[in-house]
Structure formats: structure tokens, C-alpha cells
Amino acid sequence: MVSAIILAGGWATRLRPLSLTKPKPLFPVLGKPIIDYTLDALERAEIKDVYISLRVMADNIIKHVERGGRKVTFVVEEEPLGDLGPLKYISEKYPLDDEVLVIYGDVYMEVDFNEILSLHRSNECGATLMSAEVEDPQRYGVLYTEGDKLIQIVEKPSNPLSKQINAGVYVFDKKLFSMINGKSIARHFLPKVLQQSCVSVYRYQGVWADIGIPADYLKLNFDLLRRKYPRGFISDKAKVSEKAELTPPYFIMEDARVGEAYLDSNAILGRGSVVGNGSYVGESLLMDRVVVGENSFLKNVIVGDNSKIGKWNHIRERTILGEEVVTGDGVLLNRGTIILPYKEVSDPVYKEGKIIL
């Protein structure tokens, strides 16, 4: 038998202002919170002893998971424990199985967890980690290996010698947890494991993404949209005007309404969102219940839940609106504008990269 621990307690500071009101594991990827993809994969692997380590906005995650009817154990950290501390805390409080699968709760992947478990069982190493190949390894922990064995992890090297990075999935023999000391798996725990045993590497070849920054978050949504719905997707509970112009791929969720508008490629509309007549939305992600007034223009932007865009708005690239932001009619937001949640904006923002507190 196998136990699984999902690490879902971080702040996600680089995703602000969106992460000020929504924990990173609940960020939607094609309308589905990213943590649900992991929980679904655990169900497919028939892993039932599941723990979720929480801290930031823990209640939000608990309510979401419970609404889905999933049977998991929630463990709320009283203080920051890093990604290593929860393993010690949970192993001392709960009767974990001999093999423990550890998963970062804010990473998208399509891995079959039984494959990494099979590799772990086929060798004599006390630990196994999953690697993924990325184009920009400088942002991650880069793996240096010998065959399928780990030699070293170098965090964010300026001159990486490999594109294989730590992909945020581990299998540990539970007996190793007696050596835990510190807060970081990569920096404090794996070096100790390597002194006493070996760490095997499972080379994952599928889609993998850490939604650490807004550009990554958009890219993941757009990549999956092109792969899964190249002709576009419209929920049968959405209402789209026959006079609307749609360029695929697009993604329109239930209860959304689109008037005589133009949805360009990579337009993603969350539940209950509205796009008024004459408006343009392209390369943008609107979360749930976003309203876009008539004759507005949004390109390459992210809009948080329950925000309302006025008429004749022009919202330019890399702009992010937090939750429940309201803009008046005729507002211009120049490139890279950041608006924190619960703000009302009635004046144009001409300066690029302005942050509205």
C-alpha cells in the first residue's frame, strides 16, 4: 500500500494579485482547479490514503475538496514548515504506509503515479524523484545524474549543464523520515538520503508545468487548450450569440454568455462570465463570473473572479486584475497594469507596469 502527501501550503507570491484571494492549488486550468488534476490521478492509481498539507487559505481548499466528495485527510500547518517539515509532522501523527508518494499541489502533470511507483520498487534506492525537461532550467532545481541515479540537485544555476529539473514528485521509503531535519526536501533531506542510499530518477516525458508566474499560468492554459480542444469548446450550458465571431481554440464554460462579440484564439471564459456586444477578448483568461461591458477590448490579460469591466474599456497586454475589480466606462489600462482585489478604477492608466493598490 501507498500513502500520498500533497503539499499545498505556499503563498504563491509571484502570482499576486490573483493569489491574494485564491490559493495557488485552486487556480483553474481550463476551468478545473489544478489540485483536482492531482487528486484525479491519485484516484486512477487507486491510492486512497491521501493527506493534504495546508496553511495559506486552508479553509478555501478544504471547502473545495469536500464539495467534490473526496475522502482525504487535511493537515493544517500552524507555522511555515517548508516542503520538508510536513513530511515529518504527518509521519509522526498518522500511520503512513511503507511507501510515501509526495506531490507538489501546484504543478500540472499527466503522470501515471503507478509508473513512478513501479520504478521505485524495481531498484534498491530508498527514494525516487521525478524529472521533467524544460527549456529554461535556470528557474528550477537542475538534476545531475549518472544513468538513472541522482548525483546532485543544483538550485537555479546560472549555467545549467542539464535541462532535466526536479518536477516535484517523490517516492520515499517511510523509514527514511527518521532522518528529517530542516525545511527543504532538495537542500536538507535528499543529501542525507544520498549519503546512506541512492535516489533513482523517473524521467517523465509528458506535459509538465509549474504555474509559478502569470506568463506560465497563461501558457499552460493555452497549450492545453490547443492540445485538447483545437476546434474550441462551448459548454452546453453556455449561451453564445449566433452573431458572435469565434476563432478557435476558445474555451467557454457553463452559464457563460457571449453577445455579438469577437472571441479570438485562446480566449478562456470561466463559469458565469459575460462578454457584451461589440467586445473583443483574445489570449486572455477570465475567471468565474467576470463581466465585460460592451465595446471593450482585452488582449493577453487575466481577470479575477467577480470582476466587472465597463463599456469601451481598452485593457492591454500583461495586465492582471484581481478579484472583484470594477472599472468604469471608457477606461484604458496600459501594458502590465496590476490592480489589487476589490478596487474601483475610473481613470485611465497611461503608464506601463503601474500597480494600483
Side-chain angles (χ1 to χ4, degrees):
M1 298 294 290
V2 179
S3 296
I5 298 174
I6 301 174
L7 303 173
W11 276 107
T13 55
R14 294 179 298 170
L15 283 169
R16 291 175 179 173
L18 301 168
S19 59
L20 291 172
T21 53
K22 186 187 293 292
K24 192 175 176 183
L26 295 188
F27 273 51
V29 175
L30 294 187
K32 180 176 175 178
I34 195 167
I35 195 172
D36 284 359
Y37 290 95
T38 297
L39 290 169
D40 287 347
L42 288 171
E43 287 186 5
R44 288 193 296 271
E46 299 184 351
I47 298 172
K48 299 178 180 179
D49 188 34
V50 178
Y51 303 82
I52 305 180
S53 179
L54 303 167
R55 185 168 61 90
V56 177
M57 288 179 268
D59 288 346
N60 297 32
I61 299 174
I62 291 171
K63 289 177 183 177
H64 169 77
V65 174
E66 287 182 339
R67 278 199 303 268
R70 301 182 192 268
K71 295 183 179 180
V72 304
T73 300
F74 302 104
V75 182
V76 181
E77 305 171 23
E78 296 180 359
E79 60 183 37
L81 299 176
D83 64 353
L84 178 58
L87 308 190
K88 184 176 180 65
Y89 179 78
I90 292 172
S91 66
E92 291 176 344
K93 189 173 181 180
Y94 297 96
L96 299 179
D97 289 308
D98 290 337
E99 294 174 331
V100 183
L101 182 66
V102 178
I103 309 157
Y104 290 179
D106 55 6
V107 172
Y108 178 88
M109 57 197 137
E110 299 175 354
V111 66
D112 180 346
F113 289 126
N114 281 326
E115 289 187 3
I116 188 171
L117 288 165
S118 178
L119 174 67
H120 180 73
R121 292 162 184 161
S122 69
N123 60 51
E124 298 179 353
C125 295
T128 299
L129 67 80
M130 188 175 89
S131 74
E133 185 172 313
V134 298
E135 288 301 315
D136 184 16
Q138 290 179 309
R139 295 168 47 197
Y140 304 98
V142 175
L143 307 184
Y144 298 131
T145 61
E146 188 174 284
D148 64 350
K149 300 296 189 294
L150 177 69
I151 302 301
Q152 185 183 13
I153 298 180
V154 179
E155 292 293 335
K156 300 179 181 179
S158 56
N159 295 294
L161 300 178
S162 168
K163 290 186 176 182
Q164 292 292 322
I165 59 102
N166 182 357
V169 178
Y170 306 90
V171 183
F172 294 111
D173 290 346
K174 186 181 69 171
K175 61 186 179 183
L176 296 177
F177 286 3
S178 62
M179 300 190 300
I180 290 177
N181 185 24
K183 290 190 173 184
S184 170
I185 294 175
R187 294 195 303 272
H188 302 140
F189 188 40
L190 288 180
K192 289 185 178 180
V193 175
L194 286 170
Q195 290 175 0
Q196 297 194 14
S197 179
C198 57
V199 177
S200 61
V201 176
Y202 171 77
R203 296 182 183 271
Y204 173 60
Q205 303 294 326
V207 178
W208 181 93
D210 168 22
I211 60 168
I213 59 176
D216 291 341
Y217 178 51
L218 278 180
K219 184 177 185 302
L220 172 60
N221 275 275
F222 297 162
D223 287 349
L224 290 179
L225 180 55
R226 285 190 292 271
R227 289 178 63 248
K228 295 179 180 294
Y229 302 101
R231 297 183 180 180
F233 168 83
I234 302 176
S235 167
D236 57 9
K237 295 182 180 179
K239 294 182 179 180
V240 178
S241 169
E242 293 181 356
K243 296 183 179 180
E245 295 185 42
L246 280 62
T247 300
Y250 45 80
F251 192 83
I252 304 172
M253 296 202 65
E254 59 264 28
D255 301 321
R257 290 184 287 122
V258 180
E260 296 178 27
Y262 180 22
L263 297 190
D264 208 345
S265 59
N266 295 329
I268 298 175
L269 275 57
R271 294 171 181 83
S273 290
V274 177
V275 179
N277 294 337
S279 286
Y280 170 98
V281 178
E283 295 184 10
S284 296
L285 190 156
L286 312 185
M287 292 188 179
D288 292 346
R289 299 172 299 280
V290 171
V291 176
V292 178
E294 295 180 355
N295 302 305
S296 287
F297 177 94
L298 286 74
K299 185 176 179 64
N300 191 222
V301 303
I302 306 175
V303 184
D305 293 337
N306 302 306
S307 289
K308 291 181 172 56
I309 309 299
K311 300 178 181 179
W312 298 102
N313 275 219
H314 189 106
I315 302 179
R316 304 193 67 183
E317 295 87 345
R318 304 190 311 281
T319 290
I320 303 175
L321 278 62
E323 186 171 332
E324 292 194 32
V325 168
V326 177
T327 67
D329 293 343
V331 168
L332 163 72
L333 301 179
N334 211 341
R335 293 182 181 90
T337 301
I338 303 295
I339 303 178
L340 269 66
Y342 315 119
K343 300 296 177 183
E344 294 188 15
V345 179
S346 56
D347 298 321
V349 177
Y350 296 115
K351 183 180 178 181
E352 293 188 13
K354 185 171 183 178
I355 300 174
I356 298 178
L357 302 175

